[in-house]
Amino acid sequence: PHLRTFGDDFHTCIVEGAWPLIHNKYLSVQVTNTPVLPGSSATATSKLTIIFKNFQECVDQKTYHAETNELPAAFADGSRNGGERHGGAALRVLEKVPGQHVEIQARYIGTTMVVRQVGRYLTFAVRMPEEVARAAEDGDNHDLYLCLHGCPLSQRIDFRTFRQRAAGGRAPAGRPGSGDQLGSPPHTFTYQSAVAKCKERLLVEDLYFQSCVFDLLTSGDVSFSLAAYYAFEDVKMLHSNKDKYHLFEKAVGLGGAPSRSP
Amino acid sequence: CRILKCNSEFWASTSSLGPEEEFCTALRAYHACVRRTARTCRGDLAYHSAQHGIEDLMGQHNCSREGPTTQPRTRSRTPPPPPPPPDSQERSDAPEVCHYERGLPRNAAPPNYTHCGFFGD
């Protein structure tokens, strides 16, 4: 998956299995990523669990759990708010598009989350105050929380090399058993056809555009172009700095880190 | 900074209490009320005095910190309000601590918001 961190770093990662995105005093968000093709190390999110911790006079502890083809408009206990305390409505689940788009507002921590199912996989986006994002639990070194620290180096995919190979006409994703990391797509996009497809919705050739091209080449699944598009729509809704909506590659580095200008 | 409101609510709620456990419940509610004022009452003598007073009373009455709290306003003779319906708007009597921005000190700079996104393959 592609990750945009709290610090506006952008990584493309393997992170197969269960990984924490956020874990602090107030909430915990964990995803499970599964290979998009058998034998491939290109993965996407098939499960998402969010735990809102019990908070003062406001909300009971609530768990939101989504899986592929099951994007509920309620917490795991069937409720849609934070319970019957005086501030219970400070936490609520809003269904935007049934089965496809859910928004969770946690007003007591100034936080808004968006969970979507696009194609067969889930996407996640969050806006929260810096103070909340960095409110670590006592004694917790929170090294692995992806939103805070990005993907570990060992889990990053070299976006740039991949693209250069693809643009140069070499097969972008090797066949299973060929020794290549990314597996074999069911539908073959050429670099040019992937670029054309992504340009239909993403007009700026930023890292969202590049990730769209990457996803079409590695998976052959056209719905990933929509995932990149909606991820950028969520940025426009949730990011507080309009000048930082678009991210662009730095001259060097793994996974495409941001720069301030194109 | 509303600390006096917490004080008066606490004393009103304990004026007719009998068992020790009810006192502890009221004391925990008082503690919660005081805690909600922490940002706006920083530096206020009455606030710090209330904090120490609560500690003393907790010890004197052997009250545990964990346990039920009862909002003083619901201890009046009127029945408690019904639970909020699903998707209701935030209740007007919700504590300020339940609204992040409203709980910030009046003169404080607006909070910096940050974003994280995770998508695609």
Side-chain angles (χ1 to χ4, degrees):
Chain A
H2 309 283
L3 169 72
R4 179 175 183 153
T5 69
F6 287 137
D8 287 329
D9 287 327
F10 195 96
H11 298 154
T12 297
C13 312
I14 301 170
V15 289
E16 182 173 355
W19 286 79
L21 290 181
I22 302 171
H23 183 85
N24 62 35
K25 280 184 188 172
Y26 307 106
L27 55 91
S28 178
V29 181
Q30 181 158 304
V31 288
T32 301
N33 306 306
T34 48
V36 293
L37 297 166
S40 165
S41 59
T43 68
T45 302
S46 56
K47 289 184 193 175
L48 171 79
T49 303
I50 307 171
I51 298 170
F52 296 89
K53 298 179 186 177
N54 176 47
F55 184 77
Q56 296 187 16
E57 298 77 44
C58 307
V59 300
D60 303 328
Q61 177 162 309
K62 293 282 176 171
T63 300
Y64 179 82
H65 184 77
E67 295 191 22
T68 295
N69 298 330
E70 194 179 336
L71 189 73
F75 293 111
D77 64 3
S79 68
R80 292 183 174 208
N81 61 32
E84 297 184 359
R85 301 185 200 180
H86 278 260
L91 174 62
R92 54 187 188 153
V93 182
L94 303 172
E95 185 173 58
K96 298 289 188 175
V97 181
Q100 292 178 36
H101 182 190
V102 163
E103 184 176 308
I104 304 174
Q105 296 175 348
R107 208 171 305 164
Y108 62 102
I109 48 174
T111 296
T112 304
M113 295 180 181
V114 174
V115 183
R116 297 178 187 267
Q117 177 167 337
V118 187
R120 289 180 297 137
Y121 299 102
L122 305 175
T123 72
F124 171 81
V126 63
R127 165 192 170 89
M128 63 168 55
E130 279 182 6
E131 178 192 28
V132 173
R134 298 181 185 283
E137 280 188 318
D138 292 340
D140 190 344
N141 61 10
H142 54 80
D143 279 348
L144 283 178
Y145 306 147
L146 303 184
C147 280
L148 201 55
H149 294 289
C151 293
L153 279 172
S154 64
Q155 296 292 317
R156 293 186 203 175
I157 292 173
D158 188 344
F159 206 89
R160 174 188 299 269
T161 304
F162 177 83
R163 191 181 61 245
Q164 283 169 350
R165 289 170 51 205
R170 291 176 57 188
R175 303 279 164 196
S178 68
D180 202 307
Q181 260 193 337
L182 296 167
S184 158
H187 171 276
T188 306
F189 276 94
T190 64
Y191 182 74
Q192 285 73 21
S193 64
V195 165
K197 186 70 196 168
C198 293
K199 273 195 175 162
E200 289 177 7
R201 285 177 180 267
L202 295 161
L203 304 179
V204 178
E205 294 193 19
D206 62 358
L207 285 169
Y208 290 89
F209 176 86
Q210 301 294 352
S211 66
C212 170
V213 174
F214 176 94
D215 287 359
L216 295 188
L217 291 172
T218 53
S219 72
D221 182 345
V222 75
S223 62
F224 281 118
S225 67
L226 279 177
Y229 167 75
Y230 284 123
F232 188 67
E233 290 299 296
D234 292 339
V235 168
K236 288 195 282 187
M237 181 188 135
L238 299 173
H239 202 292
S240 57
N241 187 346
K242 197 176 177 183
D243 295 336
K244 291 187 177 176
Y245 287 177
H246 293 286
L247 296 175
F248 297 91
E249 268 184 299
K250 275 183 178 173
V252 290
L254 278 176
S259 65
R260 292 192 185 279
S261 59
Chain B
C1 73
R2 298 196 176 195
I3 188 68
L4 297 180
K5 186 166 177 278
C6 294
N7 293 351
S8 56
E9 281 182 346
F10 172 66
W11 292 118
S13 69
T14 53
S15 59
S16 59
L17 286 181
E20 197 79 325
E21 189 45 45
E22 283 189 30
F23 183 85
C24 290
T25 300
L27 194 56
R28 282 190 289 266
Y30 182 30
H31 180 53
C33 183
V34 170
R35 208 168 46 196
R36 288 199 297 272
T37 70
R39 290 184 187 211
T40 48
C41 293
R42 195 180 298 150
D44 186 295
L45 189 60
Y47 164 76
H48 293 284
S49 163
Q51 274 200 316
H52 284 294
I54 290 167
E55 292 291 328
D56 288 347
L57 287 170
M58 287 252 181
Q60 284 170 24
H61 292 265
N62 205 19
C63 299
S64 68
R65 289 180 174 279
E66 301 300 321
T69 58
T70 307
Q71 296 289 333
R73 62 174 68 83
T74 65
R75 297 190 67 79
S76 64
R77 288 179 182 81
T78 54
D87 285 344
S88 67
Q89 292 300 307
E90 194 169 347
R91 288 157 56 154
S92 59
D93 61 349
E96 282 197 352
V97 74
C98 299
H99 193 297
Y100 182 78
E101 289 197 351
R102 277 188 218 149
L104 296 173
R106 283 188 186 160
N107 297 329
N112 290 325
Y113 283 92
T114 186
H115 165 81
C116 175
F118 196 70
F119 67 97
D121 89 22

